[in-house]
Amino acid sequence: VLSIPQVHRAILEEGLRAPSAHNAQPWRFAVGSAGYELHYDHHDYLPFDPDDRDAYLCLGALIETLALAAQRHGQRMEFALGLERQGSDLFVGTFSFRAARPDEPVDPLAGPAADRHTNRRQYRRDPLPAALEAELGALGCTLVAPGAMATMVARASIHAWRDRRFVRDLRTWFHDDPTAPTGMTAEGLLLSRIETVALHLAFRAGRLPAPLATLYASRDVRLLRRAASVAVLGADDPGPAAMIEAGRRLLRAWVAVCAAGYAYHPISIALDRPETAPDVAGVAGVAHPVAVFRLGRPRRGAPRSNRRTLESALLPEAKGPAEPVGTCPGAASAR
Ligand SMILES: Cc1cc2nc3c(=O)[nH]c(=O)nc-3n(C[C@H](O)[C@H](O)[C@H](O)COP(=O)(O)O)c2cc1C
């Protein structure tokens, strides 16, 4: 029988608001003897994420979201990385909570983290405040002019829409039911009825012919050109531990942006495509770019995305560490 103290339950539930690519929410928790285990479920694998970059980033984002949520509840979280796998399960690590000491400072991002969300609307071109630029720089983000990134995103997007794996990934995680607990909906993606019909046509065709791919790509590019800036976040190396650490910084960057009254929208496609990823690295001068997002002052707020319940994210029992892993398993079998 699982027994979770009320304060931990509140933190875990708020942690589940962490961002993940396609809102796949690949994380699972297990109640262990000395705290909680964090696992990654490969059944929520994204075939278009063959290096598991998005998976590791969102695991890092989850860890940081949990750590900040803990602070809102007068607690502190300790996390120990495990990275061991068993079949389709990746044991990411263990975490525990303890009461904060009276003199322990509260992270300034703890409060604003509760309100973080992606905003895919159009932005104004108001320049970013210098303090925000400095904060993003300290978190390992390089800011690039939108124009410099637009041609790469256009090329990447056209390649993606012509690629069956990309379209299949999107089809897997796109749900017509606006209340679906995981995945993306037309409401969340701000698609009009016509755009939703067009997306279903793309799903049926499996990939798009070049002229249609160009048309689909133009939306991303238009939004990007109107942004105030584009950020490129780098990791120390392409290994799992460094990617998880980068995911923690990514989450902090996104919270800092929202806290300043600005908005962000990830554009992963430029890094997903082998045709454009090296150019992104070159333009930004970042050796291992792991995330690209546009930034600006939003014209309107964005809808709140759905989440799975805590119960559905809990594994029936703790699994503990098993065999060591270099990269995530499952890529070959899932593709
Ligand atoms: C690593 C990562 C990559 C993402 N890439 C994209 C992207 O390319 N395009 C996009 O619209 N959203 C992207 N997202 C945003 C997710 O779709 C979003 O976080 C999720 O739907 C939950 O919504 P929320 O961020 O508003 O809570 C990405 C998120 C993460 C963590």
Side-chain angles (χ1 to χ4, degrees):
V1 178
L2 300 169
S3 153
I4 303 179
Q6 199 49 43
V7 65
H8 292 183
R9 184 170 281 274
I11 297 167
L12 294 173
E13 275 170 353
E14 289 172 35
L16 291 178
R17 296 287 323 158
S20 56
H22 289 348
N23 202 17
Q25 304 164 52
W27 38 68
R28 300 291 180 272
F29 302 136
V31 185
S33 48
Y36 300 90
E37 291 181 359
L38 173 60
H39 292 259
Y40 166 47
D41 185 345
H42 266 278
H43 293 121
D44 287 345
Y45 181 74
L46 310 170
F48 200 63
D49 180 25
D51 305 328
D52 279 321
R53 188 192 74 231
D54 284 344
Y56 289 126
L57 285 177
C58 74
L59 286 165
L62 170 81
I63 295 163
E64 193 64 23
T65 303
L66 279 168
L68 292 170
Q71 299 211 15
R72 291 196 296 277
H73 291 273
Q75 301 272 308
R76 294 294 180 274
M77 188 183 91
E78 315 276 342
F79 181 82
L81 198 60
L83 285 184
E84 296 172 13
R85 77 171 152 92
Q86 206 163 17
S88 70
D89 179 81
L90 173 70
F91 166 68
V92 184
T94 50
F95 60 95
S96 57
F97 302 112
R98 62 165 176 84
R101 290 184 295 274
D103 60 337
E104 250 176 314
V106 175
D107 191 317
L109 293 182
D115 207 26
R116 177 218 56 81
H117 56 275
T118 304
N119 189 326
R120 300 184 177 85
R121 293 194 197 277
Q122 214 182 91
Y123 301 159
R124 297 179 208 280
R125 284 209 190 86
D126 309 11
L128 301 182
L132 178 59
E133 285 197 0
E135 205 172 352
L136 292 172
L139 287 165
C141 296
T142 301
L143 297 178
V144 178
M149 199 57 82
T151 28
M152 283 176 256
V153 169
R155 272 172 54 218
S157 187
I158 292 167
H159 280 294
W161 281 110
R162 305 205 65 206
D163 186 326
R164 289 187 186 280
R165 288 175 313 158
F166 169 80
V167 177
R168 204 183 312 138
D169 243 16
L170 208 56
R171 189 178 58 200
T172 305
W173 291 104
F174 181 85
H175 302 309
D176 288 315
D177 175 5
T179 66
T182 58
M184 311 291 304
T185 63
E187 292 74 12
L189 290 171
L190 306 173
L191 299 182
S192 66
R193 275 185 68 84
I194 290 179
E195 285 168 332
T196 309
V197 170
L199 188 61
H200 279 284
L201 287 177
F203 289 163
R204 211 167 301 162
R207 66 195 283 264
L208 294 179
L212 262 185
T214 308
L215 192 71
Y216 275 44
S218 65
R219 180 187 161 120
D220 286 347
V221 177
R222 212 172 44 243
L223 287 171
L224 182 68
R225 283 198 186 280
R226 289 179 186 160
S229 190
V230 177
V232 179
L233 177 93
D236 287 349
D237 61 70
M243 300 276 262
I244 289 175
E245 188 275 331
R248 295 189 73 156
R249 285 186 284 115
L250 183 63
L251 188 280
R252 294 186 69 81
W254 288 352
V255 172
V257 169
C258 294
Y262 282 71
Y264 73 87
H265 174 190
I267 312 164
S268 305
I269 206 130
L271 293 173
D272 290 337
R273 299 300 317 184
E275 298 89 351
T276 53
D279 296 348
V280 174
V283 163
V286 173
H288 301 291
V290 292
V292 174
F293 48 100
R294 69 179 171 103
L295 295 158
R297 170 102 55 197
R299 290 182 182 274
R300 289 171 60 199
R304 196 172 159 89
S305 52
N306 300 337
R307 288 298 186 281
R308 57 168 73 252
T309 59
L310 176 56
E311 265 56 42
S312 74
L314 286 175
L315 295 171
E317 59 192 66
K319 299 185 183 187
E323 51 183 300
V325 65
T327 54
C328 270
S333 59
R335 248 177 280 157

